[in-house]
C-alpha cells in the first residue's frame, strides 16, 4: 500500500507541475534558479519542486497515529455543532478563536507526559538516516506547503471553477491554526519532548532548566487537520490520500521528538474544529 501511495504522491506533483516530458525527473534535485529570478518569492509548488519528497514512512509506521487522529473527527463534529447552535454560520473569528481554545482538553499530567515520552525515546533509538530525511522533509513541508500543493492540484485537475475563494479559505484556516495553537501552547506551557530529554535532539542545545519551547498542542497537527478537513470536503474521493499525508506529518513529529502523542491528538481536534468553521463560514 505504501508504494501505491508513493506513486499517487509523485503523480500529483508531476501532473501539477506539468513536467510530463521530464518523467520522474522531479525526484532529482532541481537546478538553481536563474539569477534574474533568484529573488522572486517562491510558491509552495516551487519549493516542493526544488525539494521533492524522499521515500516517506511506511503505512505500518503511521497507522497507529493515523487512527488516533481519525478518532478526533467525531469529537470535533459534536463540539462544532454547539458552536453553530450558539453562533450560526456567520464569520466571527475573534469569538471562534476564544471558543476553540477552550475546547482543547487539559494537558496530561506530568506523570502521563513522562509515560508518553517513552514512545519518543524508543523511536529515537531506532532512527535511521532515511527516517531522519523523511521526518525533516515532512517537518519543513507539512506546515503549509503540502496542503497548498494539494489544493493547487485540485484546482488543476478537478472539473470545477473555484476562483480564488478556496485558496483564501485554506490560507485563513492555516492562519487560524497557528494563532490558536500558539495561544493554547503559551497558556498550558507543556515543554517539548526534547526539552524534557535533551538527548533526543542534542543539536537543539537546550540550556539546563529551560521551560520551552512548548509543544501542546502541536502546530503541525493543528494545521494538518484543518487542511485535511477543508480539502476533504472539496474533494471527498481524495480524502484517504489527505489522511495518509496527515498521518505521515504527525508520525514525523514523534520520530524526531518534537511532540508526544497527546500534543498531536489535541492539535488534531483543534484543527478539525478550524476546518469545520472555515467550511461553514465560507458557505461550502
Amino acid at each position: 500500500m505504501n508504494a501505491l501511495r508513493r506513486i499517487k504522491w509523485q503523480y500529483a506533483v508531476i501532473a501539477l507541475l506539468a513536467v510530463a516530458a521530464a518523467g520522474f525527473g522531479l525526484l532529482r534535485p532541481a537546478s538553481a534558479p536563474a539569477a534574474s529570478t533568484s529573488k522572486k518569492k517562491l510558491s509552495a509548488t516551487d519549493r516542493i519542486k526544488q525539494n521533492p519528497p524522499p521515500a516517506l514512512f511506511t503505512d505500518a509506521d503511521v497507522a497507529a497515529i493515523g487512527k488516533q487522529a481519525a478518532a478526533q473527527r467525531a469529537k470535533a463534529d459534536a463540539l462544532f455543532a454547539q458552536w453553530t447552535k450558539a453562533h450560526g454560520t456567520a464569520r466571527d473569528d475573534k469569538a471562534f478563536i476564544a471558543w476553540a481554545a477552550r475546547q482543547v482538553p487539559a494537558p496530561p499530567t506530568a506523570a502521563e507526559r513522562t509515560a508518553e515520552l517513552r514512545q519518543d525515546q524508543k523511536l529515537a533509538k531506532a532512527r535511521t538516516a532515511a527516517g531522519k530525511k523523511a521526518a525533516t522533509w515532512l517537518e519543513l513541508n507539512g506546515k503549509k506547503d503540502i496542503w497548498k500543493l494539494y489544493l493547487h492540484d485540485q484546482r488543476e485537475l478537478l472539473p470545477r471553477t473555484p476562483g480564488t475563494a478556496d485558496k483564501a479559505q485554506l490560507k485563513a484556516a492555516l492562519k487560524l491554526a497557528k494563532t490558536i495553537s500558539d495561544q493554547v501552547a503559551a497558556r498550558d506551557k507543556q515543554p517539548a519532548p526534547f526539552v524534557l530529554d535533551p538527548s533526543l535532539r542534542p543539536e537543539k542545545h537546550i540550556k539546563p532548566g529551560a521551560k520551552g519551547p512548548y509543544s501542546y498542542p502541536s502546530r503541525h497537527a493543528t494545521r494538518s487537520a484543518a487542511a485535511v478537513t477543508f480539502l476533504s470536503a472539496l474533494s471527498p474521493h481524495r480524502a484517504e490520500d489527505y489522511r495518509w499525508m496527515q498521518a505521515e506529518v504527525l508520525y514525523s513529529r514523534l520520530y524526531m521528538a518534537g511532540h508526544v502523542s497527546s500534543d498531536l491528538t489535541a492539535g488534531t481536534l483543534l484543527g478539525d474544529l478550524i476546518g469545520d468553521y472555515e467550511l461553514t463560514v465560507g458557505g461550502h
Side-chain angles (χ1 to χ4, degrees):
M1 282 295 292
N2 193 59
L4 176 59
R5 294 194 187 285
R6 173 73 174 145
I7 290 169
K8 287 181 178 179
W9 169 252
Q10 291 174 1
Y11 174 78
V13 175
I14 292 167
L16 171 59
L17 296 171
V19 291
F24 278 68
L26 275 180
L27 299 183
R28 298 190 298 270
S31 58
S36 61
T37 60
S38 60
K39 294 184 179 181
K40 180 181 178 181
K41 185 177 180 180
L42 298 178
S43 66
T45 298
D46 293 330
R47 286 189 292 271
I48 291 181
K49 181 179 179 180
Q50 289 191 359
N51 179 26
L56 301 182
F57 297 106
T58 69
D59 283 0
D61 288 333
V62 306
I65 194 64
K67 288 180 180 178
Q68 291 175 22
Q72 305 308 306
R73 178 72 267 164
K75 297 178 185 178
D77 287 345
L79 287 171
F80 191 71
Q82 298 175 19
W83 165 266
T84 54
K85 183 176 181 180
H87 297 269
T89 60
R91 179 178 287 278
D92 187 345
D93 287 358
K94 183 177 180 180
F96 177 77
I97 288 170
W99 176 85
R102 293 194 299 271
Q103 308 316 307
V104 178
T109 65
E112 290 169 337
R113 198 164 180 82
T114 298
E116 287 185 303
L117 185 63
R118 297 191 189 105
Q119 181 183 17
D120 288 35
Q121 292 167 332
K122 182 178 179 180
L123 286 171
K125 291 178 181 178
R127 285 177 191 156
T128 64
K132 290 179 182 179
K133 187 174 182 180
T136 299
W137 190 90
L138 288 160
E139 180 177 359
L140 175 64
N141 294 284
K143 296 176 182 178
K144 296 184 290 185
D145 285 352
I146 288 172
W147 313 114
K148 290 180 178 180
L149 184 65
Y150 273 134
L151 180 61
H152 195 299
D153 185 16
Q154 287 187 8
R155 296 174 70 186
E156 290 288 321
L157 301 179
L158 293 180
R160 59 192 303 268
T161 307
T164 60
D166 292 346
K167 184 177 180 180
Q169 281 191 267
L170 178 61
K171 182 178 180 180
L174 294 171
K175 183 177 179 179
L176 279 174
K178 180 182 184 301
T179 297
I180 305 173
S181 59
D182 285 356
Q183 183 182 109
V184 176
R187 179 192 73 191
D188 290 341
K189 295 181 169 61
Q190 297 297 299
F194 60 80
V195 175
L196 298 174
D197 181 357
S199 70
L200 293 171
R201 294 290 296 274
E203 76 280 8
K204 294 287 189 179
H205 304 294
I206 300 300
K207 296 180 179 179
K211 302 298 182 182
Y214 302 125
S215 67
Y216 182 91
S218 162
R219 187 189 296 174
H220 274 80
T222 307
R223 282 173 159 169
S224 293
V228 169
T229 298
F230 181 73
L231 292 170
S232 295
L234 302 187
S235 186
H237 65 287
R238 296 195 62 189
E240 185 181 354
D241 288 336
Y242 302 147
R243 288 193 293 269
W244 163 72
M245 182 55 75
Q246 177 185 24
E248 289 278 343
V249 172
L250 299 185
Y251 183 77
S252 75
R253 308 307 294 133
L254 294 176
Y255 192 86
M256 293 305 292
H259 294 282
V260 293
S261 58
S262 61
D263 299 339
L264 300 174
T265 53
T268 299
L269 176 66
L270 177 58
D272 286 342
L273 290 172
I274 292 168
D276 283 345
Y277 173 73
E278 200 58 50
L279 286 168
T280 299
V281 300
H284 283 282

